[in-house]
Amino acid sequence: MSRVYNFSAGPAVLPEEVLKEAAEEMMDYRGTGMSVMEMSHRSKAYETIIKEAEADLRDLLNIPDNYKVLFLQGGAHLQFAMVPMNLMKNKVADYIVTGMWAKKAHKEAQKFGTANKIATSEDDNFSYIPDCSDLPISEDADYVYICENNTIYGTKFKTLPNTKGKILVSDVSSCFLSEPMDVTKYGIIYGGAQKNIGPAGVVIAIIREDLITEDVLEGTPTMLQYKTHADADSMYNTPPAYGIYICGKVFKWLKKQGGLEAMKEYNEKKAAILYDFLDQSKLFKGTVRKEDRSLMNVPFVTGDADMDAKFVKEATAAGFTNLKGHRSVGGMRASIYNAMPIEGVEKLVEFMKKFEEENA
Ligand SMILES: *Cc1c(COP(=O)(O)O)cnc(C)c1O
């Protein structure tokens, strides 16, 4: 067996401990004589799995009792629609557009009402987070929407926008559980699992209870109403059962690492190794304004597309995979999620140094 250092933006690296445990339990999950994949989601064994997953997530994020945790499907993309369908009572929402995912969410919301773009950083290819301390929040906005960590561009909100009392909805797909967050500041937090938590196919939404009502846009399908899933404890229909089981293992792994405070420290240390190198490199440079840099996704370029391609090719051959940047930024991107060990980043930087010397 040989594992690479996988810098994929998602689906992405998972803790080896979790993968090993899942492998051990594959044929016979704890004496049930079957895999979790083969198990009824209504069975006792599975009930324990999903209940524990929720309890551990609540512990990790310190989720207050007046918030529901939902395990959903349809990717983050379906939330682009579910959010307006469930929250747009006045048919008005304000979007802060800091990248491709926020842009797509904003576009989708326009199907359901007036979705205002109240701030954007598109003028500089989304390389920074705009000042959101005093935005023209609409009087009748049902919510204010952000994408908290911009996976493609490598920016992160370090301060939440001043929503002037409006509900904040945040897509945290690529920074979920990378550091502590104050859940009470949000109406909805949601994210796809495949970046920092587990396999693709699971979306986790944390929603303040008073926002879960029957008062949704006319014609909203049953499956797209938060209330349907909240009332049924995420078991209205067959949930993405195996994916939730892996997420649950990752939650336990995170608790073992010391929880989210410890992860934040680890992630800061890890990201600093790469950013410090980029800041002094003569060949590579980061593409993001320093104060807005993400701890999870680190885009960088040489400024020469051929050199970028050469680097990606040689890095791949050396066991550092999925470093090619998104086409809209070009260059490279190293996604260094929770499960990327610090050695992975240290070795990547060593490799970059060597490449820089060879190509000076
Ligand atoms: C990957 C990603 C998405 C899209 O997720 P899907 O599960 O493919 O729909 C949306 N938002 C962010 C921040 C992402 O990183």
Side-chain angles (χ1 to χ4, degrees):
M1 187 196 73
S2 119
R3 304 245 321 149
V4 293
Y5 287 114
N6 178 8
F7 294 94
S8 170
V13 58
L14 287 169
E16 282 193 6
E17 244 175 276
V18 166
L19 297 176
K20 279 185 188 145
E21 225 179 82
E24 276 159 23
E25 293 173 346
M26 183 60 77
M27 300 303 282
D28 175 8
Y29 177 75
R30 301 187 186 177
T32 58
M34 63 180 92
S35 163
V36 172
M37 248 183 269
E38 303 170 297
M39 190 178 279
S40 164
H41 60 292
R42 310 275 178 206
S43 64
K44 257 263 111 17
Y46 194 75
E47 193 187 315
T48 305
I49 290 171
I50 193 167
K51 287 266 175 326
E52 274 187 24
E54 175 173 341
D56 287 332
L57 179 64
R58 284 185 174 277
D59 270 4
L60 281 166
L61 274 173
N62 209 357
I63 301 175
D65 288 343
N66 65 325
Y67 282 74
K68 288 272 189 198
V69 171
L70 306 182
F71 295 100
L72 305 170
Q73 305 189 57
H77 274 83
L78 192 53
Q79 296 310 304
F80 298 168
M82 276 177 80
V83 166
M85 287 173 119
N86 284 269
L87 293 193
M88 259 195 186
K89 326 273 176 201
N90 299 329
K91 298 207 171 166
V92 179
D94 289 346
Y95 279 71
I96 299 173
V97 177
T98 51
M100 175 122 96
W101 300 122
K103 201 172 172 173
K104 275 183 115 170
H106 174 234
K107 181 154 184 249
E108 186 72 3
Q110 289 167 24
K111 285 183 184 286
F112 305 103
T114 307
N116 304 300
K117 177 161 63 178
I118 55 167
T120 180
S121 50
E122 194 163 15
D123 60 337
D124 196 14
N125 202 27
F126 299 118
S127 61
Y128 69 101
I129 298 289
D131 177 2
C132 297
S133 57
D134 185 19
L135 294 174
I137 307 284
S138 309
E139 202 68 36
D140 51 353
D142 292 304
Y143 59 90
V144 175
Y145 183 99
I146 61 169
C147 176
E148 199 155 329
N149 184 80
N150 296 281
T151 324
I152 293 172
Y153 300 92
T155 59
K156 160 115 206 286
F157 280 84
K158 303 291 165 79
T159 322
L160 292 177
N162 175 5
T163 65
K164 303 183 179 172
K166 302 297 183 192
I167 294 156
L168 180 64
V169 175
S170 180
D171 174 357
V172 298
S173 295
S174 51
C175 59
F176 222 165
L177 306 184
S178 62
E179 56 184 285
M181 57 196 296
D182 181 356
V183 174
T184 65
K185 296 231 156 44
Y186 303 81
I188 299 183
I189 296 166
Y190 78 84
Q194 75 272 24
K195 308 287 162 64
N196 210 14
I197 294 184
V202 182
V203 171
I204 298 171
I206 302 164
I207 310 181
R208 213 174 66 203
E209 244 162 24
D210 60 291
L211 302 177
I212 303 173
T213 67
E214 266 159 10
D215 179 20
V216 297
L217 295 192
E218 206 183 311
T220 301
T222 309
M223 267 299 280
L224 302 191
Q225 298 180 25
Y226 289 129
K227 192 166 192 314
T228 302
H229 300 282
D231 287 352
D233 293 325
S234 301
M235 292 276 213
Y236 174 72
N237 70 324
T238 318
Y242 194 81
I244 294 168
Y245 154 77
I246 300 290
C247 292
K249 288 200 178 299
V250 172
F251 300 154
K252 289 197 188 299
W253 177 81
L254 287 168
K255 287 174 93 172
K256 234 169 82 184
Q257 308 306 305
L260 301 189
E261 285 290 351
M263 283 323 293
K264 178 177 163 55
E265 219 174 284
Y266 190 71
N267 288 327
E268 281 173 349
K269 203 168 139 198
K270 208 163 66 180
I273 294 170
L274 187 47
Y275 284 125
D276 287 349
F277 170 71
L278 290 172
D279 287 344
Q280 59 76 57
S281 169
K282 290 196 169 59
L283 182 63
F284 300 102
K285 62 171 193 299
T287 58
V288 170
R289 188 165 78 182
K290 277 191 191 174
E291 56 268 38
D292 300 325
R293 285 169 163 176
S294 164
L295 289 181
M296 298 282 102
N297 310 97
V298 184
F300 55 95
V301 295
T302 65
D304 170 356
D306 291 338
M307 188 64 86
D308 288 347
K310 182 169 189 247
F311 175 77
V312 170
K313 190 164 167 239
E314 290 181 18
T316 306
F320 306 100
T321 67
N322 291 311
L323 281 167
K324 192 173 186 312
H326 191 272
R327 63 188 176 282
S328 55
V329 182
M332 283 67 69
R333 171 179 48 173
S335 293
I336 50 175
Y337 296 118
N338 281 343
M340 172 57 67
I342 207 157
E343 303 81 58
V345 177
E346 284 166 352
K347 286 186 180 157
L348 173 65
V349 166
E350 261 170 57
F351 180 82
M352 289 167 76
K353 278 183 188 155
K354 190 166 129 280
F355 184 89
E356 181 169 334
E357 281 162 21
E358 288 167 3
N359 292 277

